[in-house]
Amino acid sequence: MAEAFCIPIISVHKQHQIRSAGERSPPSRRLIFRKAKLDGRATHRFFCTGHKDAAGGSGQHTIKKHTSLGASAVTKMAPATLITNLTQQWQESLLRWHLGYFLIPTTVITVATLLANPVLLACILLSRALRQETRYLLLANTLAADVLFLLLTLATFICNATSAQMPGLVCELITAATVTLYTCVILTITLMVVDTYAAVRWPLRYHSILSPGRTHCVLLGVWLLAAVYPLSLMIMTEVKREDPRETVAVCLVLISLGFVQLKNIGGIHVHFFVAALFCAVLISFCYIRLYMVTRTQGIWRSRFSRARVTVLAHGVLLLLYFTPGFVFTLELFLFQNKDISVDLRVWICTLNACVFMLLPRAFAPYLYGLRYREISHSLMQRLHQHKRLSKVTAS
C-alpha cells in the first residue's frame, strides 16, 4: 500500500526515522517544492514523502521538526490581500450602483472652471501691475493648482469608470500629485487671508515686508511644503512594494493612503486633520482680528456693504474648500472599520471626490477673481481690445 502526504513547512527541518526491531527501512522518496517567497528570510515549502511497503504494513513513522510561520509574515501578507479584495469590491460596487454617471457632474464642473481660470491667469500674468501685487500672485497660484487638480481628478475618474488597469507606481504618483495640489491650495488660500490681515493691520510696512521677490520665495516654499509629506509616503510605499509590476483596477487617494496606513505607517489621518485644523484656526483668527480692527471705521454698518459681502463670499468659499478635506480625513479614519459597508464607503468617497472637492474650484474664479476690481477691469480692457482687432481684421 502506498502513502503520500505533504506538509507545509518554513525553514530547514530535521528528519528522524523510527522503525521496529529487525525491520528494514523501506525506500522513501522526498521532494521539496519551493512555492513563494513571503519575506526576505523565510521561504514557504512543501515537504512530500511517499513510502512503499512490500510486506503490506509500514512500521515507519516520520517526525519532522520545523519552525512555524511567523506572525510577521502573516502581517506583511494581510495588507496586500486586504487591499486587493477591497479594490475588487470597490470596482464591483461602482458597476453595481452605476456610479460612472458621476462623470457627468465632474466633466461639467471641470469645463466650467477651465473656461474661467485660464482667462484670469492670463489677466494676472500679462499685466505688469497685477504681477507686482502679492494677493494676485497668491490668487494665480491657487487658480493654477486648481486647474491641475481638476485635470488629474477627471483623468483618474475616467480610468476608474472604464476599469482600466494602471501600474501601481503610476497610481502612487497620481496620489502624491493630488495630495500635493490640494494641500498647496489650502496653504495658499490661508496665506491669502493672512496677506489681507497684514495689509490692513500694517499698511505702511506691508509692501516692504511682502515684496514680489519674497512672494515668489513664499510660493516656492508652499509647493515644497505641500509635496514633502506625500512624496515621502510614496517613496516608503515603493520601497516596501514586493512586485514592481503590480497593477491596480481602481486608483483612489483613499485606497492608496489606506494601504500606506496598513503598512504600519499610521497617523496619516491625524496629520491631515491637524494641518487642516491649524489653517482653519489661523483663518478664523485673522478674520476676527480684522473685524475688531475695522469695526470703528463704519464699513460694517450697511447690511449689504462691500466688506460684509466680501467676507460672506470668502467664508462660503473657504467652507467649501475645507469641508472635503475634513470628510476625507474621516474616510481615512474609518478605512479599517469593518462595520461600515463597502457600498457606503464608495458612495461617500465618490460624492466627496466628484462633487464636494470640485465645487470650490468652480466658484473660486467668480467669488475670488472677478470680485477684484483690478482683475475685472483688466479683463474688460482685453475684451475690448480683442473686439477692436476683430473689427479691424473684418474691415
Side-chain angles (χ1 to χ4, degrees), residues 111-168:
V111 171
T113 308
L114 293 180
L115 289 176
N117 281 19
V119 175
L120 296 180
L121 280 173
C123 290
I124 295 174
L125 298 179
L126 296 178
S127 175
R128 180 179 177 82
L130 296 181
R131 290 200 310 267
Q132 300 298 319
E133 294 285 342
T134 301
R135 53 179 175 172
Y136 298 132
L137 291 176
L138 293 175
L139 176 61
N141 189 66
T142 302
L143 297 177
D146 281 345
V147 169
L148 296 176
F149 181 87
L150 288 172
L151 293 176
L152 200 59
T153 301
L154 181 62
T156 305
F157 190 82
I158 292 175
C159 293
N160 293 337
T162 57
S163 302
Q165 294 290 328
M166 184 181 300

Side-chain angles (χ1 to χ4, degrees), residues 46-98:
F46 286 90
F47 186 90
C48 301
T49 62
H51 302 284
K52 291 182 180 179
D53 194 345
S58 176
Q60 182 184 17
H61 306 277
T62 305
I63 303 174
K64 301 176 180 62
K65 297 181 180 180
H66 57 82
T67 59
S68 60
L69 182 63
S72 60
V74 177
T75 305
K76 292 180 179 180
M77 290 181 63
T81 305
L82 179 61
I83 293 300
T84 302
N85 295 335
L86 180 60
T87 303
Q88 294 175 354
Q89 295 174 2
W90 201 284
Q91 190 175 18
E92 293 173 358
S93 182
L94 285 173
L95 297 176
R96 181 170 60 254
W97 290 99
H98 304 287

Side-chain angles (χ1 to χ4, degrees), residues 66 77 116 118 133 148 203 210 231 234 249 253 294 353 391 393 395:
H66 57 82
M77 290 181 63
E133 294 285 342
L148 296 176
L210 288 176
L231 287 179
M234 186 197 73
V253 178
T294 60
K391 290 180 179 180
T393 305
S395 61

Side-chain angles (χ1 to χ4, degrees), residues 306-337:
R306 183 174 179 83
R308 285 181 179 271
V309 175
T310 301
V311 170
L312 179 61
H314 289 184
V316 171
L317 190 59
L318 290 172
L319 182 64
L320 291 176
Y321 266 114
F322 276 87
T323 299
F326 284 111
V327 173
F328 179 74
T329 303
L330 181 61
E331 291 181 52
L332 280 176
F333 179 74
L334 299 176
F335 184 78
Q336 303 181 39
N337 193 341

Side-chain angles (χ1 to χ4, degrees), residues 254-275:
L254 175 63
I255 296 181
S256 299
L257 294 183
F259 175 72
V260 174
Q261 284 190 136
L262 292 176
K263 284 289 187 178
N264 299 325
I265 309 176
I268 297 178
H269 56 282
V270 177
H271 169 82
F272 287 115
F273 179 79
V274 171

Side-chain angles (χ1 to χ4, degrees), residues 207-221:
H207 291 286
S208 61
I209 295 175
L210 288 176
S211 61
R214 291 181 180 178
T215 304
H216 293 155
C217 295
V218 169
L219 291 178
L220 179 60

